Amino acid sequence: MKKALIISHSVQSAEALSQLLKIEYFTQISIAENSKTAKKLVENDEFDLICINAPLAEESGIELSVHFARVTRSSVVIIVPQKNADDVNDALTEHGVLVIAKPINKHLFHHYLQFTECFRMRMLTVNEENEKLRHIVEDMKIINRAKLLLITCLNMTEQEAHRYLEKQAMDMRMSKMQIAMQVIKTYEN
């Protein structure tokens, strides 16, 4: 189930974009007429694609696209008039926002959406890997803190402290992290 948010001050353009997205298997499509409504929708839901039909009634849509690229994991696409496309593209490429020029070519739109989906999936994979690494680093910090406590409180060497944590984990059938937490609880008071 793919979810999209269309932001467009033109009801007719929003409906045309909605039809294009349905062809691309987006089954849940929300429409906002302005940035305030769009931000509220994004606060309460997660979208695979955020599509801004620029300009909006009260703004260009450029700042909004940067905002969504920064605070969401959604693919962000901004559709701009042909005469502005190159300048907008130069401003938004570094933020990871895809710029599409009006009028929209249906065939190219299909390929743009495939590209954004591929890019989004790679980004999600990288984010997952970063989360795993962050947890590993946090675990290492706790284990090293426990080792330091064993070294300072029980006069162990670094190797002895390391071996102690491993042996306790094995003997008690617990993780090294759980043993480290117990050591910290015991010796940090």
Side-chain angles (χ1 to χ4, degrees), residues 99-145:
V99 177
I100 299 175
K102 295 178 190 178
I104 297 173
N105 175 305
K106 290 180 184 181
H107 179 72
L108 286 177
F109 189 70
H110 167 76
H111 289 290
Y112 291 145
L113 291 183
Q114 283 184 323
F115 170 77
T116 61
E117 183 64 17
C118 289
F119 180 75
R120 182 174 175 273
M121 296 311 292
R122 289 190 70 191
M123 188 177 67
L124 291 174
T125 301
V126 169
N127 284 342
E128 287 174 13
E129 287 297 317
N130 283 344
E131 270 305 304
K132 288 178 189 175
L133 290 174
R134 186 178 8 257
H135 287 295
I136 290 170
V137 168
E138 290 301 316
D139 289 355
M140 288 174 58
K141 285 179 181 179
I142 291 170
I143 290 169
N144 285 336
R145 197 164 98 208

Side-chain angles (χ1 to χ4, degrees), residues 135-151 158 161-166 169 175-184:
H135 287 295
I136 290 170
V137 168
E138 290 301 316
D139 289 355
M140 288 174 58
K141 285 179 181 179
I142 291 170
I143 290 169
N144 285 336
R145 197 164 98 208
K147 284 183 192 178
L148 181 62
L149 286 169
L150 292 171
I151 292 167
E158 196 274 334
H162 179 79
R163 177 71 185 123
Y164 174 83
L165 292 174
E166 283 185 337
S175 72
K176 202 166 155 181
M177 179 68 171
Q178 291 171 312
I179 298 299
M181 294 296 286
Q182 287 180 352
V183 167
I184 291 168

Side-chain angles (χ1 to χ4, degrees), residues 50-86:
I50 297 174
C51 187
I52 302 168
N53 181 31
L56 300 175
E58 298 172 2
E59 64 179 279
S60 69
I62 293 171
E63 298 83 12
L64 184 63
S65 67
V66 171
H67 169 76
F68 287 139
R70 189 173 49 245
V71 303
T72 72
R73 297 187 309 177
S74 306
S75 296
V76 181
V77 172
I78 187 167
I79 302 167
V80 299
Q82 178 69 47
K83 64 182 180 180
N84 303 339
D86 289 338

Side-chain angles (χ1 to χ4, degrees), residues 13-30:
S13 294
E15 185 54 39
L17 282 170
S18 181
Q19 292 306 315
L20 285 174
L21 292 176
K22 285 177 184 175
I23 293 168
E24 298 298 327
Y25 305 105
F26 283 88
T27 55
Q28 289 189 347
I29 301 170
S30 299

